Amino acid sequence: PDMPQQLGTLIVAEHRQGVLRPVSLELVTAAQGLRDALGGPVTMAVIGRGSVQHQAALSVPGVDEIVVVDTPEAEFDPDTWAAAVAALAADLRPALVLVAHSVDSMAYAAAAAVRAGWGFATDVFALEADGAGLVATRGGYGQKVSVEVDFPGRATVLLAVRGGSFKPPLGAAHPATRELPFAAPAARTRNVEY
C-alpha cells in the first residue's frame, strides 16, 4: 500500500529552566510563509515534564494544534528529544520540522534527521517553496555568502532556524491541544544544575 503523503509543519518549542525561548514563536511565522505550499496543519510540540505550562504562551495565530510530550525530566536531554521528535513525526507525518538553531538542537536534530532519512540544514534564516520543493537559505563561509539548499527526494526536511530571523506572531488563538503518549529512552546524561 502507498504511504500517506507528508503534509504540514511540526514546530518543536524550546524552553530552558521553565522559560519558553522566544525563537519558539518565531518558528510559527517561518511556518506561515510555507503553509500554502506544504498544505496541512502547523503543529507546535512542547517536550518535557510539566511542559503543558507553556500551552497558553504557544497559543498564537498560525498554530493549529499543540501536542504535549510529557517526559521524565523537565530539562533538555538529547536522546529523549530525538526520540520524542521521531514519535511526533510518526504520529503527524510532517513535510517540514522546524527547530531553533541552538545548543540544544545541535545535540539532537542531526541525529534525528539522519535516523529518519530526512533532509537537514542548520542556521537557516530564510525559507521558500517553489515548484521543485523546499529551499532553505543559510550562511556560508563565515556569513560572507548566502547559500540556498534544496532537498531533492526528501519527503520530510528538518531545519534549524536562526533566532531573530522571523518576527513572532501577535495575539492569542485557541488551537486544539492533546498529549502524545511517549515512553522516553533511558537517559545517558543527567542535568545537575544551571
Side-chain angles (χ1 to χ4, degrees):
D2 291 333
M3 294 294 289
Q5 179 182 0
Q6 279 79 358
L7 290 173
T9 301
L10 166 62
I11 299 170
V12 180
E14 194 167 285
H15 53 89
R16 188 167 292 117
Q17 294 181 283
V19 177
L20 188 66
R21 296 207 49 243
V23 69
S24 300
L25 297 178
E26 295 169 19
L27 296 174
V28 176
T29 303
Q32 291 309 304
L34 299 172
R35 185 184 277 272
D36 290 340
L38 297 178
V42 172
T43 303
M44 176 72 76
V46 59
I47 302 167
R49 183 180 70 225
S51 57
V52 70
Q53 72 178 335
H54 302 297
Q55 178 181 337
L58 295 171
S59 295
V60 296
V63 174
D64 298 308
E65 180 181 41
I66 296 173
V67 179
V68 176
V69 181
D70 196 39
T71 66
E73 299 297 324
E75 296 302 330
F76 174 78
D77 173 75
D79 294 329
T80 299
W81 280 52
V85 169
L88 286 157
D91 180 64
L92 298 167
R93 301 195 48 79
L96 178 62
V97 179
L98 296 176
V99 301
H101 178 71
S102 68
V103 67
D104 288 354
S105 72
M106 286 186 224
Y108 79 91
V114 168
R115 286 183 189 126
W118 297 338
F120 178 68
T122 59
D123 198 23
V124 172
F125 58 83
L127 303 167
E128 65 181 69
D130 59 21
L134 185 66
V135 177
T137 305
R138 64 179 313 272
Y141 298 103
Q143 305 302 320
K144 292 180 176 129
V145 298
S146 294
V147 179
E148 290 185 345
V149 182
D150 63 354
F151 310 92
R154 303 294 181 177
T156 300
V157 174
L158 189 154
L159 300 176
V161 177
R162 183 188 301 175
S165 298
F166 298 90
K167 292 182 186 266
L170 300 175
H174 303 284
T177 302
R178 67 183 170 98
E179 187 169 326
L180 181 70
F182 175 71
R188 297 183 301 156
T189 61
R190 184 171 61 91
N191 181 39
V192 177
E193 67 181 83
Y194 281 98

